[in-house]
Amino acid sequence: MTTALITGSTAGIGAAFARRLAADGHDLVLVARDTERLREQATELHDRHGIEAEVLTADLSGDPGIEAVAARLGDRKNPVDLLVNNAGFGNKGRYLDVSMADELTMLKVHCEAVLRLTSAAAGAMRERGRGGVVNVASVAAFVPRGTYGASKAWVVQFTQGAARDLADSGVRLMALCPGFVRTEFHERAGMGTDNIPGWMWLDADKLVAAALADLARGKSVSIPDPRYKALMGLVKVTPRALLGGISSRTGRKYGPQ
């Protein structure tokens, strides 16, 4: 029996990871801001799958929340074998339309929290000679599009570099880069989704299954769908100036800024 810690576990991709890992027999540490919702999730997963589900209420936009989760990841008596850094959000609006406070909060959650939690987990895992970290990024990391894409690009670059540095340690690190997923993400950011083509949507449970398979294969970056793999292949060969204009128009129409 192993233990997985998932941030942002109560909705979307985080909830899909919790369902799949519980079904596979892993104990869980569930992390989010809403205690009541966490307890309901923990009870449901325990009753359905017979696993132990620990609740840890933490807001990763502040130091106390990050420190609480880092301390749990560093607990040598109750080790965490898999960390899923999933917590994140989008801001509605173009650059300079979003407040500086909101921009900095995004960097705190997407970059600083990921760095500190990955480091806490990987340090303990390296001592044991085994473990895994999945840092949830986005295909937005591969196109020039505002703070959201820039923060996710940092996640990808950081994860790839850390994976190389820990290649012989038994610790696997992977950046997960999904496209549009049917979750609460857009609703929470106040973004409409009616104009997003149906073919662009991914199923969270299928995404998680593909991500875990890629982690087992030792991949450091996972784009878990053939449609988005094809799109990212086109991105690689598109001139940056042209790509910037396309991504700006597409971002204003479909995605977070």
Side-chain angles (χ1 to χ4, degrees):
M1 185 74 71
T2 59
T3 298
L5 185 148
I6 307 165
T7 69
S9 71
T10 54
I13 295 173
F17 266 107
R19 289 192 297 270
R20 171 58 187 269
L21 292 167
D24 287 347
H26 299 278
D27 289 336
L28 301 175
V29 182
L30 304 171
V31 180
R33 294 178 297 175
D34 189 328
T35 303
E36 182 177 354
R37 199 169 178 185
L38 280 170
R39 288 174 176 167
E40 291 175 355
Q41 182 186 31
T43 299
E44 178 184 355
L45 294 173
H46 169 75
D47 291 349
R48 179 172 297 180
H49 301 291
I51 54 93
E52 296 301 319
E54 177 184 342
V55 165
L56 177 52
T57 306
D59 183 349
L60 299 182
S61 67
D63 287 335
I66 296 174
E67 289 164 3
V69 181
R72 179 62 185 86
L73 290 166
D75 186 347
R76 270 56 174 179
K77 294 182 179 179
N78 299 288
V80 170
D81 305 279
L82 174 66
L83 165 64
V84 180
N85 272 317
N86 167 73
F89 65 95
N91 287 321
K92 183 179 181 180
R94 300 174 66 182
Y95 173 60
L96 294 184
D97 294 335
V98 178
S99 72
M100 184 55 63
D102 288 344
E103 295 277 39
L104 291 173
T105 298
M106 175 174 285
L107 294 178
K108 186 85 170 182
V109 174
H110 289 185
C111 300
E112 182 179 340
V114 168
L115 170 63
R116 292 169 65 179
L117 299 186
T118 298
S119 299
M125 291 172 183
R126 184 171 62 176
E127 291 176 7
R128 300 193 301 274
R130 60 183 173 83
V133 177
V134 176
N135 290 329
V136 179
S138 168
V139 293
F142 304 112
V143 295
R145 182 58 192 160
T147 305
Y148 181 84
S151 68
K152 294 303 187 179
W154 182 91
V155 171
V156 172
Q157 292 293 316
F158 161 69
T159 304
Q160 286 185 295
R164 284 192 292 270
D165 287 344
L166 296 175
D168 298 323
S169 68
V171 182
R172 295 180 177 181
L173 292 93
M174 185 183 79
L176 172 59
C177 301
F180 290 108
V181 185
R182 294 195 181 279
T183 69
E184 298 177 5
F185 179 93
H186 292 84
E187 180 182 351
R188 288 181 174 180
M191 302 172 190
T193 59
D194 292 342
N195 60 345
I196 299 175
W199 68 267
M200 297 184 74
W201 288 105
L202 303 178
D203 176 80
D205 293 312
K206 292 180 180 178
L207 182 153
V208 166
L212 291 173
D214 282 346
L215 181 66
R217 295 186 187 104
K219 290 189 175 183
S220 62
V221 176
S222 171
I223 302 174
D225 185 86
R227 292 164 288 181
Y228 281 98
K229 287 178 182 176
L231 284 174
M232 293 308 102
L234 291 174
V235 164
K236 290 181 180 179
V237 299
T238 302
R240 297 297 288 179
L242 176 60
L243 181 61
I246 294 172
S247 66
S248 180
R249 292 191 298 273
T250 304
R252 285 197 296 273
K253 187 174 183 181
Y254 298 137
Q257 310 306 312

